[in-house]
Amino acid sequence: MAEGDHPASTRSSTVPSGAGTPPAADEQQPDVERIIAEHDEERPARRLSGRVALVVTVACAVVSVFVLYVVFFPLARGTQYYLVLFLAAILPLTFVSYRPRPKPPVDPDGTGGAEASDNPGVLDWALAILSLAVTLYPLIDFDGFLERRQVPTTLDLVAGLLLTLLVLEACRRTTGWWLPAICLAFFAYAYYGGYLPADWSLAHVGFNIDEIVPQLYMGTSGFFGTPLNVAATYIVLFTIYGAVLDMSGAGKFFIDLSFAAFQGRKGRQSPNAPGRTVTLAGFLLGTVSGSGTATAVSLGSVSWPILRRAGYGREQGGGVLAAAGIGAILSPPTLGAAAFIIAELLRTSYLTVLVYAIIPTLLYYVGIILAIEIDARRHGARAVDIPAGSARKLLVRFGYHFASLFLIVAFMAADIPPFRAVVYATILQFLFSFLDPAHRMGPRRLLEALAAGTRSVLPVAAVCAAAGIIVAVVTLTGLGLNLAGIIIDAAQVVGDHPTLVLVLTAVFAAVAVAILGLAVPVTASFIIASVIITPALVELGVSRPEAYMFVFYYAVLSEVSPPTALAAVAAAAITGGNPIRTMWATWRYALPAFLVPFAFVLTDNGSALLAQGPIVGILAATAVSVVAVAALAAATGGWIVGPANAPERVLAFAAALLLLYLEPLTAGIGGAAICVAVVLHLLRRRLRGRPDAPVPDTQGSTT
């Protein structure tokens, strides 16, 4: 569903100025902001104006400065004290910045008059003031507040219940009804679970309001627990960095470089180049835009005319855009927000999580590139003229935009805390902006960047605070272990062989996370699944890093999972394609990402794909997985050297599954199967003795 929660996100809804190749003058420009607002459920923000816009901008910038200050001068009262202040700043800004209804007010005559005002009303200001009061209430006597957790006063309970309602309303405004409804269901379970029959697995002793509210409001496992802590430290710092990166012109440079990188002689790209260009641009632009939907739409507004001229159909082109957009959230060095939560849950460094993601990212992009190459051949893509500059000259002139990204990784490798590493990178990127007169960050642009950093974290912080309800209830009731037992018992209904039970449990887990992701944002989906589903995998012998990464990938992939697949639907809005067919085209491009996570958890050798173990094992597992991804591309794309027939595709698909099991026997059988498929394919082509004509594009018109 709603995505990304990407840490480097400025969630900018505009295409970088001057980026790429502009469409022809007679081509209708898509309304990028409208499309993103419609399809990205984490971004239905107001378009503030006048003094309200100025006040909110300054307030957001002040919050960013406060966050940066705390990195170097931590508060003496501790983490929970800081989180109270952070939520007290974020929650009122959320009510002011986000509408109670998703649709903006209509301006019938287009004049921007009073009817079109999108500024907050009396109710919004009242909720903002109330949220400020109840979040700051603990600071009146902070030590006494913590000591009263076991015996809260009536005022404590009232404030806690009010904050619960306010957090759920803020979450509803930023993401819709689903996550608040799930949170309410968990709250009800904590209260009414004691009435369940005692022999039910989900039954517990039951808890009263004076036991539930302190768990949410006065402890460290509710509103002020790990999810909000991650949002208030890692994520907000990366959103500030992403805003500075965008303001300094990095987005424009990444787009221009991608188009120039695959430019042939005299500015003419090869038939395969447009798809490669979009893939590279999506990877680079994702570090700035930070949202799969926003990346797909922003990139599509620039590159769709080129894909169309190259012969890509509407659905095929939309699939390329959506797959490229979502790939940015899966890729180092700036993964999605859930990756920071993994680091916290594992008590490891963020750099370690980045290392976990390197090989799966490689496999994802190998799959996309192969699928693009196959489609270019199947559908007869054409070379197009691209008036782009020299890639070498662009790198010489603007290559410094990469420096801050590399600096973050280098600092973390040197054991510098990630909080400081990203602040140093932000300062460096700010200084780099003065090398480009068009993007020099004077006081006004710096203020806008700081404000954009805090604005970007508002929906993520609301989700994390709401997810604290779920974490608190699971901790209080022991629900995670109970559900883990239920999942394993369901798998054992089919059979009790350990391998079969693990396979079925992994399938159930993947389906559950994917379904959950259809309703709630990636961060919330991951948090819920990590406390409910991960214990089932761990109980069956899967290591915690593998289990968390498995859940992470399926939470992210909900963005391209039918029947919602918001990134694909948004891309279809750009290309004018059929949304359902665009979803399936995207799913085909992203298929390796759906299957590779199973390799993490099904065998001990799967840990090698997370760069764990001896180097020889890591290289062997990577090589086998690359062959498996190539076999998948051949099976789904219907192409080996030329068009593949049904038996060849079935053999290739079976080979991919066997190879991804990463055991010597299955890998050997899978390798033999793909060899047989290739030999049969070559023999059939030789006997036929004629060249392959392009296959007509049945997914949609190219115009």
Side-chain angles (χ1 to χ4, degrees), residues 389-672:
S390 163
R392 182 174 58 83
K393 290 181 179 179
L394 283 171
L395 281 172
V396 170
R397 177 66 182 86
F398 299 108
Y400 56 79
H401 287 300
F402 286 118
S404 62
L405 290 168
F406 294 134
L407 191 67
I408 293 174
V409 177
F411 279 157
M412 288 192 291
D415 288 332
I416 294 176
F419 315 119
R420 294 197 174 192
V422 71
V423 174
Y424 293 147
T426 303
I427 295 171
L428 180 66
Q429 192 64 34
F430 165 72
L431 296 175
F432 279 154
S433 73
F434 291 93
L435 298 177
D436 182 3
H439 295 92
R440 185 175 291 123
M441 293 183 65
R444 183 184 182 88
R445 289 176 64 83
L446 179 60
L447 177 69
E448 291 174 353
L450 291 171
T454 292
R455 281 199 197 97
S456 299
V457 86
L458 296 180
V460 184
V463 165
C464 288
I469 298 174
I470 297 169
V471 175
V473 170
V474 170
T475 303
L476 186 66
T477 63
L479 177 62
L481 294 177
N482 291 337
L483 283 179
I486 292 173
I487 293 172
I488 294 172
D489 290 343
Q492 289 175 335
V493 169
V494 179
D496 58 0
H497 190 280
T499 300
L500 178 61
V501 172
L502 179 57
V503 170
L504 290 177
T505 300
V507 170
F508 293 159
V511 172
V513 177
I515 293 174
L516 189 62
L518 301 179
V520 300
V522 169
T523 300
S525 174
F526 174 80
I527 293 171
I528 297 170
S530 67
V531 297
I532 292 177
I533 295 173
T534 300
L537 295 172
V538 173
E539 189 173 331
L540 292 175
V542 178
S543 73
R544 293 176 71 230
E546 294 159 11
Y548 282 129
M549 292 300 288
F550 179 90
V551 171
F552 167 70
Y553 277 97
Y554 273 95
V556 172
L557 289 170
S558 64
E559 285 301 309
V560 290
S561 299
T564 53
L566 294 182
V569 174
I574 287 288
T575 65
N578 179 282
I580 300 300
R581 290 202 293 268
T582 302
M583 287 182 199
W584 289 111
T586 305
W587 187 83
R588 181 169 65 83
Y589 283 120
L591 183 60
F594 284 90
L595 295 182
V596 167
F598 279 93
F600 301 165
V601 301
L602 294 185
T603 68
D604 293 338
N605 294 328
S607 63
L609 293 182
L610 300 182
Q612 299 181 92
I615 186 64
V616 174
I618 293 172
L619 293 175
T622 302
V624 170
S625 298
V626 167
V627 176
V629 168
L632 270 178
T636 58
W639 190 278
I640 299 179
V641 176
N645 61 20
E648 294 161 359
R649 295 176 71 173
V650 170
L651 273 173
F653 188 76
L657 297 181
L658 290 167
L659 288 164
L660 284 175
Y661 193 68
L662 293 181
E663 285 290 333
L665 177 61
T666 57
I669 298 173

Side-chain angles (χ1 to χ4, degrees), residues 151-463:
V151 283
T153 65
T154 300
L155 190 56
D156 293 336
L157 296 176
V158 170
L161 286 172
L162 285 174
L163 183 58
T164 301
L165 295 174
L166 289 166
V167 165
L168 293 176
E169 169 60 12
C171 184
R172 184 196 67 81
R173 290 187 178 210
T174 56
T175 66
W177 280 102
W178 277 104
L179 182 56
I182 292 172
C183 292
L184 287 172
F186 273 82
F187 193 102
Y189 170 72
Y191 188 77
Y192 291 107
Y195 295 101
L196 295 174
D199 57 343
W200 284 25
S201 299
L202 297 179
H204 58 77
V205 297
F207 299 93
N208 296 320
I209 294 297
D210 59 356
E211 295 173 295
I212 299 172
V213 171
Q215 184 81 358
L216 303 180
Y217 185 42
M218 306 175 76
T220 57
S221 64
F223 299 128
F224 307 116
T226 297
L228 186 65
N229 187 27
V230 170
T233 51
Y234 292 100
I235 299 174
V236 68
L237 291 172
F238 271 90
T239 59
I240 295 169
Y241 166 67
V244 173
L245 195 67
D246 187 36
M247 286 285 185
S248 63
K252 175 184 182 302
F253 164 68
F254 291 154
I255 294 287
D256 289 344
L257 179 65
S258 300
F259 279 95
F262 296 106
Q263 179 179 247
R265 294 181 179 179
K266 299 180 181 180
R268 190 172 182 82
Q269 288 193 328
S270 71
N272 303 337
R276 299 175 192 164
T277 299
V278 170
T279 303
L280 176 61
F283 172 74
L284 295 176
L285 189 60
T287 62
V288 179
S289 77
S291 154
T293 299
T295 300
V297 173
S298 299
L299 183 59
S301 64
V302 174
S303 59
W304 165 236
I306 296 167
L307 290 173
R308 180 169 59 185
R309 293 204 303 272
Y312 281 77
R314 297 181 187 276
E315 288 78 18
Q316 182 190 1
V320 173
L321 292 170
I326 207 66
I329 307 176
L330 296 170
S331 307
T334 48
L335 296 166
F340 294 103
I341 299 176
I342 293 175
E344 285 294 303
L345 293 173
L346 292 176
R347 294 292 186 265
T348 189
S349 68
Y350 178 61
L351 181 61
T352 301
V353 179
L354 292 185
V355 172
Y356 291 161
I358 290 174
I359 297 174
T361 298
L362 169 68
L363 297 176
Y364 180 79
Y365 281 100
V366 166
I368 290 182
I369 293 298
L370 289 175
I372 287 171
E373 297 291 323
I374 287 172
D375 278 358
R377 287 167 170 76
R378 276 182 60 85
H379 304 304
R382 300 182 293 270
V384 293
D385 294 324
I386 305 295
S390 163
R392 182 174 58 83
K393 290 181 179 179
L394 283 171
L395 281 172
V396 170
R397 177 66 182 86
F398 299 108
Y400 56 79
H401 287 300
F402 286 118
S404 62
L405 290 168
F406 294 134
L407 191 67
I408 293 174
V409 177
F411 279 157
M412 288 192 291
D415 288 332
I416 294 176
F419 315 119
R420 294 197 174 192
V422 71
V423 174
Y424 293 147
T426 303
I427 295 171
L428 180 66
Q429 192 64 34
F430 165 72
L431 296 175
F432 279 154
S433 73
F434 291 93
L435 298 177
D436 182 3
H439 295 92
R440 185 175 291 123
M441 293 183 65
R444 183 184 182 88
R445 289 176 64 83
L446 179 60
L447 177 69
E448 291 174 353
L450 291 171
T454 292
R455 281 199 197 97
S456 299
V457 86
L458 296 180
V460 184
V463 165

